[in-house]
Amino acid sequence: MAFQKAVKGTVLVGGGALATVLGLSQFAHYRRKQVNLAYVKAAENISEPVNREPPSREAQLLTLQNMSEFDILVIGGGATGCGCALDAVTRGLKTALVERDDFSSGTSSRSTKLIHGGVRYLQKAIMKLDIEQYRMVKEALHERANLLEIAPHLSAPLPIMLPIYKWWQLPYYWIGIKIYDLVAGSNCLKSSYVLSKSRALEHFPMLQKDKLVGAIVYYDGQHNDARMNLAIALTAARYGAATANYMEVVSLLKKTDPQTGKERVSGARCKDVLTGQEFDVRAKCVINATGPFTDTVRKMDDKNAAAICQPSAGVHIVMPGYYSPESMGLLDPATSDGRVIFFLPWQKMTIAGTTDTPTDVTPHPIPSEEDINFILNEVRNYLSCDVEVRRGDVLAAWSGIRPLVTDPKSADTQSISRNHVVDISESGLITIAGGKWTTYRSMAEDTINAAVKTHDLKAGPSRTVGLFLQGGKDWSPTLYIRLVQDYGLESEVAQHLAATYGDKAFEVAKMASVTGKRWPIVGVRLVSEFPYIEAEVKYGIKEYACTAVDMISRRTRLAFLNVQAAEEALPRIVELMGRELNWDEYKKQEELETARKFLYYEMGYKSRSEQLTDRSEISLLPSDIDRYKKRFHKFDADQKGFITIVDVQRVLESINVQMDENTLHEILNEVDLNKNGQVELNEFLQLMSAIQKGRVSGSRLAILMKTAEENLDRRVPIPVDRSCGGL
């Protein structure tokens, strides 16, 4: 009964198509008839979205339960799965999608953030005269252009520099890049060009100068991957697809085909991960779009099915924005072990990656210290010796599992397919696997074409080329100015909202809280150094965010940009979500713990803690030890061998500086390795040694103590904001 009340309230108050079409008095009649009128409307006028806003999750669950049979049921809420749902529903097919976790919770949110054709694949196609690779690159370049067009707020062209250190490489790479432009044809973003050494250093001043000959600059696309994935899911929901995250497929349903006598897949038994409720979702066709978990669903269909997925882990790290120019990336085409490394500006930070190592399939991949250090070493090779590349400057790190596949229909089942594979089992389960982010739309089109043909569904051709995704239709580069003028938002916040939500940014701005300041008028930030505001938490719930992890990693991208900032924002995020979702104190604490565990293991916080432990060595010169001891004893005036909050407060008061006690507790806790409420001399020396080695950066205690020592007589304020906040 409680569930029914929640559904009823959300559907009618939420204002989706359900309430608009049926009205309050007809809601019970809808339940009895079990008819989803949205699909009727979708079939009649598919050129426009059925719903002005995506229906609530509760409304979507109701549709999943009450629909007697869907045409298409997609399992998997990554880019490919959501692409399949959008392709199917815009053809007029009754479509459902279920995702065990959150939309884009897997590989689709952990990419290099590039929309690209694949320069490396083109090189192999030419060198090996491989027509398959050539076609794959051409298709990807077409899809790159389409994605930049349908989601202009979430994507943009990015110039990428290829530095040249040997004269013979200049014509070699120039020819290759020019062919890349030619293959793109009318879809070429901008023509590539050559830079002299001096011009290359102008554009990329932190580049290694020695032996630099020049550089070639070419263009690819860049996007906000998790938000792009979410935009696809929300667009599918607006067109009438019943999409639900946190819905796990427990088993596949089957029925006997009366004509052939064979069993056919006819739906799935689904479980709401949040409530435990289970029900059947029936469909004429079931599509397996589960990425690295492809074989798990295939074995639900046939326990003897051969494994086709060969997972590979790709690790990325995020560093401060000053490591790269704001609007130009860098490509290292040949690392020390033959891999390719990208070094790209993203969200005012710098992304470096990726690695490519075999791994086991897991829903919670963890970046290894070995891979992080490999990327750092490659970065050092390309940056000037003036730039000290420090381990402590790694703000976040993550691992994504790339689902490489073998074609089960190929004679050579050990050979990895470079393109995507659409496989149809004897029972009619359709599996889409492989491919890459850029080609999600064409992969979805091929999959739905196969579904229509195999299951004799009544549908026309794909309509997703040129179909704007949520937020893209009325976006313009100057939209943020209206947000500043109409709502009194900071310019940085307004630009962020426009680039994240597109033409939906006004809805977020309307939810923004008054700051109480002269300027900005509205828009209270979640954390000082990032433009995310509290209103985004409320709006994120409308975008199907169910957990704190959803909010810090995929509605906002805080966890991917700076794990320390994400942890700082967590309590307020949980408080705001709890208020909207009626969480009790136990649920709030559970969300905090789960999110902190996510940051610790999956986003690189574990690596940070391992850089400074109670077992860390002290590798300092005797002169440095004496200097740091003197600094320590300025706070430890009683020669106790440790300092506490009281000691720090005493020094700060002597120079007329006031600081919140909670802030002081946080600052000391970062260095209190044995967690006994005090920082001992040995712990302080371990910290300073780790800072000298570059393993730790941005320690607030180290900065505070150094500044206090320098200014005890001058009585100037001490800055204690996080300096980069490195891991």
Side-chain angles (χ1 to χ4, degrees), residues 594-654:
T594 301
R596 284 172 177 152
K597 185 178 179 181
F598 167 79
L599 291 173
Y600 184 77
Y601 288 105
E602 296 184 51
M603 299 310 300
Y605 222 147
K606 181 175 183 291
S607 296
R608 171 198 182 275
S609 64
E610 290 172 349
Q611 299 309 307
L612 182 63
T613 70
D614 55 6
R615 298 181 301 279
S616 296
E617 292 183 2
I618 299 174
S619 301
L620 295 169
L621 296 172
S623 58
D624 288 332
I625 292 176
D626 289 341
R627 178 158 55 93
Y628 294 138
K629 278 183 177 180
K630 287 178 183 177
R631 184 177 301 169
F632 185 85
H633 290 314
K634 286 186 183 293
F635 286 78
D636 180 23
D638 301 328
Q639 304 291 305
K640 304 182 300 296
F642 62 85
I643 58 175
T644 64
I645 288 178
V646 174
D647 295 317
V648 178
Q649 283 177 326
R650 174 182 54 77
V651 172
L652 295 180
E653 286 172 5
S654 73

Side-chain angles (χ1 to χ4, degrees), residues 381-594:
N381 291 338
Y382 269 84
L383 295 190
S384 167
C385 57
D386 296 336
V387 180
E388 183 185 358
V389 179
R390 304 179 297 182
R391 174 61 182 82
D393 281 339
V394 177
L395 308 177
W398 69 84
S399 176
I401 301 178
R402 186 184 177 203
L404 304 174
V405 293
T406 56
D407 188 345
K409 300 293 191 291
S410 171
D412 181 8
T413 57
Q414 298 302 309
S415 176
I416 292 177
S417 174
R418 300 180 186 92
N419 214 327
H420 61 271
V421 172
V422 178
D423 178 60
I424 304 167
S425 73
E426 289 187 7
S427 61
L429 174 70
I430 295 181
T431 295
I432 171 66
K436 58 182 183 177
W437 225 121
T438 307
T439 57
Y440 85 89
R441 194 213 61 81
S442 62
M443 292 166 63
E445 180 179 346
D446 290 349
T447 305
I448 302 304
N449 285 344
V452 168
K453 182 178 179 181
T454 303
H455 295 273
D456 196 26
L457 303 175
K458 305 303 179 186
S462 175
R463 304 187 181 192
T464 51
V465 172
L467 182 74
F468 280 106
L469 299 183
Q470 165 117 335
K473 187 174 183 181
D474 295 320
W475 174 87
S476 74
T478 58
L479 183 145
Y480 79 94
I481 297 174
R482 288 174 54 199
L483 292 171
V484 175
Q485 294 175 337
D486 295 352
Y487 295 94
L489 288 161
E490 289 176 81
S491 181
E492 184 187 11
V493 170
Q495 289 180 56
H496 152 69
L497 294 181
T500 302
Y501 304 96
D503 58 31
K504 299 295 180 183
F506 296 100
E507 296 179 21
V508 184
K510 289 174 185 175
M511 296 180 174
S513 304
V514 176
T515 63
K517 302 175 183 178
R518 184 183 63 80
W519 189 264
I521 298 170
V522 301
V524 178
R525 293 195 182 209
L526 288 168
V527 63
S528 61
E529 65 261 53
F530 289 95
Y532 298 106
I533 60 174
E534 291 183 355
E536 293 180 77
V537 178
K538 300 175 188 176
Y539 192 78
I541 292 170
K542 293 179 64 176
E543 296 180 320
Y544 305 129
C546 299
T547 70
V549 171
D550 298 344
M551 202 64 73
I552 62 174
S553 58
R554 293 174 288 274
R555 300 313 180 278
T556 72
R557 305 309 307 274
L558 265 176
F560 283 81
L561 295 171
N562 189 316
V563 291
Q564 286 182 286
E567 187 183 42
E568 276 186 26
L570 262 178
R572 183 58 179 160
I573 288 173
V574 169
E575 187 64 34
L576 290 168
M577 292 189 75
R579 193 181 300 166
E580 297 292 319
L581 298 173
N582 299 316
W583 289 346
D584 57 22
E585 289 305 315
Y586 176 82
K587 175 63 174 174
K588 289 179 187 177
Q589 191 58 38
E590 182 181 56
E591 286 293 322
L592 273 172
E593 291 173 3
T594 301

Side-chain angles (χ1 to χ4, degrees), residues 42-48 86-92 146 150 239 441 445 448-449 459-468:
E44 291 172 351
N45 185 19
I46 203 67
S47 62
E48 293 295 327
L86 180 58
D87 190 284
V89 76
T90 51
R91 298 191 196 201
N146 182 67
I150 65 177
Y239 273 90
R441 194 213 61 81
E445 180 179 346
I448 302 304
N449 285 344
S462 175
R463 304 187 181 192
T464 51
V465 172
L467 182 74
F468 280 106

Side-chain angles (χ1 to χ4, degrees), residues 317-349:
I317 63 174
V318 170
M319 305 177 79
Y322 56 70
Y323 272 94
S324 67
E326 191 174 334
S327 58
M328 182 170 286
L330 183 142
L331 167 64
D332 177 359
T335 62
S336 55
D337 66 350
R339 291 183 279 193
V340 170
I341 288 285
F342 284 99
F343 195 58
L344 309 167
W346 184 70
Q347 303 281 306
K348 297 189 176 180
M349 296 295 176

Side-chain angles (χ1 to χ4, degrees), residues 318-320 322-323 376 388-396 562 564 605 607-608 611-612 670-671 686-703 721-727:
V318 170
M319 305 177 79
Y322 56 70
Y323 272 94
L376 286 172
E388 183 185 358
V389 179
R390 304 179 297 182
R391 174 61 182 82
D393 281 339
V394 177
L395 308 177
N562 189 316
Q564 286 182 286
Y605 222 147
S607 296
R608 171 198 182 275
Q611 299 309 307
L612 182 63
E670 292 172 1
V671 189
Q686 286 174 316
L687 168 66
M688 301 314 296
S689 180
I691 289 173
Q692 275 201 9
K693 289 182 177 179
R695 295 201 306 266
V696 172
S697 68
S699 166
R700 291 189 284 178
L701 181 64
I703 293 170
D721 288 340
R722 233 185 0 258
S723 173
C724 305
L727 296 185

Side-chain angles (χ1 to χ4, degrees), residues 66-71 94 255 266 282-285:
N66 291 331
M67 178 62 67
S68 58
E69 186 180 49
F70 289 93
D71 293 320
K94 291 181 287 185
K255 65 180 181 182
S266 60
R282 299 195 175 274
K284 295 172 184 174
C285 171

Side-chain angles (χ1 to χ4, degrees), residues 52-78:
R52 183 176 179 276
E53 296 297 332
S56 67
R57 182 176 182 271
E58 289 77 9
Q60 299 284 42
L61 291 177
L62 190 61
T63 303
L64 287 171
Q65 285 178 274
N66 291 331
M67 178 62 67
S68 58
E69 186 180 49
F70 289 93
D71 293 320
I72 298 280
L73 169 61
V74 182
I75 306 172

